Amino acid sequence: MNGPADLPNVVRGDSVLLFVWADVSTDLVIVVNAPAGGVHALRRCGGPFAPEPQPVQTAGELQDVLHQVRLLRDVNIHVYSPIPSPFTGFLDLCQLSPIATGTGTLTSTDNDRHNAGGGANAFGFRAQGIVNLVGGGSARVLAESERLIAPDGTVTEILVNNVRLIPQ
């Protein structure tokens, strides 16, 4: 305990995480950390698997705002197209096959994990990797999503939401 008395708590652990977002401008949905077989292999879709636990670091006062950082390395990335309508989340992909699969990384940050503070909550995800296209060839996938929850906790504003495939 050589640090200052006001040093925030740092907790490291694992969480079962699944990241999913869609980009209507490219008609693509990205799924990060699903089993190798895709979303249909998840328990919630009738399959036998859950997402793999991933490292999470949380920092902050345990009675106040918690900041969270997640770095997922060498995780499965699946890309689906077209976007199902209506699209409400990964359960809409259960019966679909991905158009591209591969591995990559995801970085996720959250400035108020439990929306407990008095300010807005900004959080986001950035994924990148190399995927094999079902039709042949490969592509670099670059995707990001940034969101903002208003101080009253009721409004989620999507600031950035994109998924891009860049042929190799």
Side-chain angles (χ1 to χ4, degrees), residues 148-164:
L148 183 69
I149 298 175
D152 65 5
T154 59
V155 179
T156 301
E157 182 179 350
I158 298 174
L159 304 173
V160 175
N161 219 42
N162 61 56
V163 181
R164 304 280 187 260

Side-chain angles (χ1 to χ4, degrees), residues 48-155:
F49 301 109
E52 289 292 319
Q54 297 296 327
V56 174
Q57 176 175 294
T58 304
E61 299 301 325
L62 292 179
Q63 294 79 25
D64 198 4
V65 174
L66 296 175
H67 309 285
Q68 201 163 68
V69 176
R70 304 171 197 102
L71 178 58
L72 287 66
R73 296 177 188 253
D74 299 320
V75 290
N76 293 323
I77 295 176
H78 297 85
V79 179
Y80 293 81
S81 185
I83 299 170
S85 179
F87 181 69
T88 59
F90 80 90
L91 290 175
D92 297 328
L93 304 171
C94 288
Q95 305 306 316
L96 303 179
S97 296
I99 64 162
T101 62
T103 59
T105 62
L106 179 132
T107 304
S108 167
T109 59
D110 192 333
N111 79 326
D112 185 356
R113 180 65 182 103
H114 297 294
N115 295 326
N121 178 15
F123 62 99
F125 325 107
R126 179 175 169 75
Q128 58 187 11
I130 302 296
V131 292
N132 295 313
L133 304 170
V134 170
S138 64
R140 173 172 283 292
V141 62
L142 296 172
E144 60 187 334
S145 180
E146 296 175 8
R147 299 167 187 224
L148 183 69
I149 298 175
D152 65 5
T154 59
V155 179

Side-chain angles (χ1 to χ4, degrees), residues 16-49:
V16 175
L17 303 165
L18 183 71
F19 295 89
V20 181
W21 66 95
D23 180 347
V24 295
S25 71
T26 60
D27 203 23
L28 297 172
V29 178
I30 187 169
V31 179
V32 180
N33 202 36
V39 171
H40 67 273
L42 289 167
R43 283 190 191 122
R44 297 273 314 266
C45 289
F49 301 109

